[in-house]
Amino acid sequence: GYHNYQNVLFCVTLAKLIGINDDSIRQTLMTFSGVEHRLEFVREMSGVKYYNDSKGTNVDASVKAIESFDKNVIILAGGYDKKVSLDNFFIAGKNKFKALVLMGQTRDLFEKKAREYGFEKIFLVDDMKQAVTQANQIAESGDVVLLSPASASWGMYNNYEERGNEFKELVKNGKGILYITIFLTIFGIIMVLSSSWPTAVSEHRAWYYYGLRQGIFALLGFIFMKFTSVFNNENYKKNALWIYIFAILLCMLVFTPLGKEINYAKRWIK
């Protein structure tokens, strides 16, 4: 954020005053990755960037975080009520907030003030898990999901670190699903190789023939997954019934007498 330019200039000036050489200053600036829970970049998924600014425990701190982005910010806010004005929060978010996901004791106060400033895309949730789930559903490629509560963590968490850590764990959970999918795909290809290599050698003179073919299908599947992941999840939710029906129909086609019989089974693709 722009406020970090001020921080850097202050630190450089102080370092120069106490005699630290330019090379050491330059090396430190090049390698410093920031402080946890302070506009901390968590991950990028399907073109959506996630930032943890749980240290934004007051309006002024969150305003600095909001000013670091230009537009398409899905803000996660709310927590313990410090009895302060929220006006500056929404002034900073003008033309920047795409949606507000609100939780905690102050969520109703945030909602009321948001509507006064003309914001309409507002979601009220009970906890961080619901907040991240809601943000994921409305986020599209190019959006920023920013946790900057502008409120203390008390009432829901013991401290802001605990709040930020839960946010990061929930955001990173998507990686676990991806790793499991990749592992099961590789395991399936190995199983195909182990069971088909005698036939592949005798009929195609290549022990890897069927494994390679399954690998190509798997690669196409991952490409399709990547392609569909950039679309708004809300579109899938709206058409979930038709997607389910289409999937069931595809499964039923397995029982139809289509294709050529190979090894006592009907194959659509030879």
Side-chain angles (χ1 to χ4, degrees):
Y2 296 114
H3 63 288
N4 279 326
Y5 288 116
Q6 297 175 326
N7 294 335
V8 168
L9 290 173
F10 175 81
C11 292
V12 170
T13 301
L14 181 60
K16 294 286 287 183
L17 287 174
I18 62 176
I20 298 177
N21 63 67
D22 291 346
D23 289 338
S24 296
I25 294 173
R26 187 180 300 107
Q27 181 64 22
T28 300
L29 292 177
M30 293 295 292
T31 57
F32 181 66
S33 58
V35 182
E36 190 177 18
H37 307 300
R38 293 162 178 83
L39 263 184
E40 174 190 6
F41 176 70
V42 180
R43 71 173 298 190
E44 181 174 349
M45 178 173 62
S46 302
V48 180
K49 295 182 178 179
Y50 294 78
Y51 288 87
N52 166 34
D53 190 53
S54 184
K55 187 61 174 69
T57 57
N58 58 71
V59 171
D60 289 341
S62 290
V63 165
K64 294 297 184 183
I66 295 165
E67 290 175 345
S68 302
F69 303 98
D70 296 325
K71 58 181 179 178
N72 296 337
V73 176
I74 300 172
I75 186 83
L76 278 58
Y80 181 79
D81 189 3
K82 288 186 172 183
K83 310 294 183 182
V84 297
S85 171
L86 302 177
D87 290 275
N88 288 339
F89 180 86
F90 291 102
I91 291 172
K94 185 179 181 181
N95 300 323
K96 293 188 177 184
F97 289 163
K98 174 179 179 178
L100 297 98
V101 183
L102 307 174
M103 63 187 129
Q105 183 184 11
T106 56
R107 70 177 188 177
D108 293 330
L109 297 175
F110 272 91
E111 180 191 20
K112 181 180 178 181
K113 185 62 68 173
R115 296 198 185 280
E116 289 179 11
Y117 277 87
F119 294 101
E120 297 181 353
K121 204 164 187 178
I122 304 169
F123 303 90
L124 302 183
V125 297
D126 295 325
D127 52 39
M128 187 66 73
K129 183 176 182 180
Q130 290 183 11
V132 173
T133 299
Q134 183 63 65
N136 288 340
Q137 289 178 349
I138 60 179
E140 300 174 290
S141 180
D143 289 348
V144 169
V145 175
L146 171 64
L147 170 66
S148 192
S151 306
S153 58
W154 308 321
M156 297 179 69
Y157 302 93
N158 293 318
N159 49 58
Y160 71 85
E161 293 98 337
E162 187 178 300
R163 176 172 62 189
N165 287 334
E166 183 180 13
F167 173 74
K168 291 193 291 184
E169 288 173 6
L170 290 168
V171 169
K172 291 178 178 178
N173 270 346
K175 287 186 177 180
I177 297 173
L178 176 62
Y179 294 151
I180 291 172
T181 303
I182 293 174
F183 170 77
L184 292 176
T185 301
I186 294 174
F187 182 76
I189 293 174
I190 292 174
M191 294 296 292
V192 169
L193 281 172
S194 64
S195 61
S196 65
W197 72 265
T199 303
V201 170
S202 63
E203 295 186 3
H204 303 284
R205 297 181 180 180
W207 63 269
Y208 54 82
Y209 178 80
Y210 293 109
L212 177 62
R213 192 169 68 170
Q214 290 300 114
I216 293 173
F217 290 149
L219 178 61
L220 291 174
F222 277 109
I223 293 173
F224 180 75
M225 286 171 58
K226 177 63 177 177
F227 174 74
T228 56
S229 68
V230 302
F231 296 107
N232 192 336
N233 290 337
E234 282 292 304
N235 294 330
Y236 297 122
K237 189 175 180 180
K238 292 176 183 177
N239 298 290
L241 177 61
W242 297 110
I243 294 173
Y244 287 142
I245 292 173
F246 180 69
I248 291 171
L249 289 175
L250 285 179
C251 291
M252 292 177 64
L253 285 176
V254 174
F255 301 102
T256 61
L258 299 176
K260 182 178 181 180
E261 184 173 310
I262 302 176
N263 295 332
Y264 307 102
K266 293 288 185 180
R267 306 289 180 92
W268 295 1
I269 303 175
K270 182 176 178 182

